[in-house]
Amino acid sequence: MSTSPFYSLFSWGPSIYSRPGVIVTTGPSFGGIFFFAGFFLLAALALNSMSDSVGSAMRGGVGMGRSSSVLGPGVSVAEISVALEVPDRDRSDSILNVLERLSRTARTDSRVGLQNLTSQVALELLRRKQSIVAASTKAKHFGDESKAQREFNNLSIKERGKFQRETVSKYGGVDYSLSKEDAPISPYSAKATIAVVTIVLQIDGDTTSNQLSSRVNSIRDVEEALSRIAADSKADDCLRGVEILWTPEERDETLTMRDVFADYSDLRSI
């Protein structure tokens, strides 16, 4: 997969995205993931940059960003991956159908829309805690905003690097997708699968990283991590950027735990 730097005057450096918006990619050993990234990430950074400059000017600063937020000092970069059983992916309330609907209705062109999307995905996972079979968390806290941005980009590239091509891109109601033919669904296609959902976020403060830096040992740990993301992502204007990825995306693709552990070796059974 080849990409070129996507620059923003408001970011702290180049962000590697081939085009703005929502991207679906196809993976090496299974179907696809839905990838929320690109321009609205940079739009969030732009909003932070503008609010930082105003706030610093009022305090007599020089626009270097907030020293602290309602979530604490510095900037956190955190990631959670959750594998869960989906007995019938065709049910309207299956996590795969819920995520598909959110991808069509989310307002990713505004800060509030981005915050609501992140919080809602975390809540949807939390509501399905009885189906979660494996999970992992990681997080780092930074006093330097540019280092936090680089870490966020590194995690993004690592996740996207698992997949070979990007097939769909949508932003602001405009579909930039590559054309593809809809394959007929066999009546014998399996309805049960394992789904994997990953959230990568960059957020002000140390509250999020304090929670997600601990190793996952039980479903209780997963609950606390998802609850923290759901709450922190809506705190003031602290959310700087987020990626939400899931697999499988194609209807005729299914995952087993062997498939999952092949590409998500950090997951721990719970």
Side-chain angles (χ1 to χ4, degrees), residues 7-83:
Y7 287 86
S8 167
L9 294 176
F10 301 104
S11 65
W12 298 297
S15 297
I16 308 302
Y17 297 114
S18 59
R19 63 175 70 189
V22 181
I23 303 168
V24 179
T25 65
T26 299
S29 61
F30 45 83
I33 62 175
F34 226 104
F35 174 76
F36 288 80
F39 185 80
F40 59 81
L41 161 65
L42 296 179
L45 293 175
L47 291 170
N48 272 299
S49 178
M50 288 185 287
S51 62
D52 285 351
S53 296
V54 172
S56 296
M58 291 174 63
R59 294 188 301 268
V62 292
M64 293 302 291
R66 293 172 293 183
S67 59
S68 187
S69 70
V70 295
L71 297 179
V75 182
S76 293
V77 177
E79 175 182 324
I80 184 170
S81 292
V82 174

Side-chain angles (χ1 to χ4, degrees), residues 180-216:
K180 66 176 182 178
E181 297 182 359
D182 294 328
I185 300 174
S186 168
Y188 303 104
S189 296
K191 293 187 176 183
T193 185
I194 299 294
V196 181
V197 183
T198 298
I199 302 174
V200 183
L201 69 161
Q202 182 182 12
I203 190 167
D204 286 339
D206 58 0
T207 304
T208 313
S209 57
N210 287 342
Q211 181 69 61
L212 272 71
S213 59
S214 301
R215 190 176 187 180
V216 170

Side-chain angles (χ1 to χ4, degrees), residues 82 84-86 91-103 105 116-132 197 199 222-223 226-227 229-231 244 246:
V82 174
L84 61 164
E85 295 175 336
V86 183
R91 285 176 57 100
S92 61
D93 61 348
S94 77
I95 188 64
L96 295 175
N97 280 325
V98 169
L99 292 173
E100 194 276 333
R101 285 196 298 272
L102 286 174
S103 74
T105 60
N116 289 340
L117 171 64
T118 306
S119 182
Q120 186 63 38
V121 170
L123 284 172
E124 294 294 344
L125 292 172
L126 194 57
R127 290 167 179 158
R128 293 163 177 78
K129 60 186 177 183
Q130 293 182 340
S131 299
I132 295 175
V197 183
I199 302 174
V222 181
E223 289 182 64
L226 290 172
S227 297
I229 290 173
I244 301 171
W246 76 80

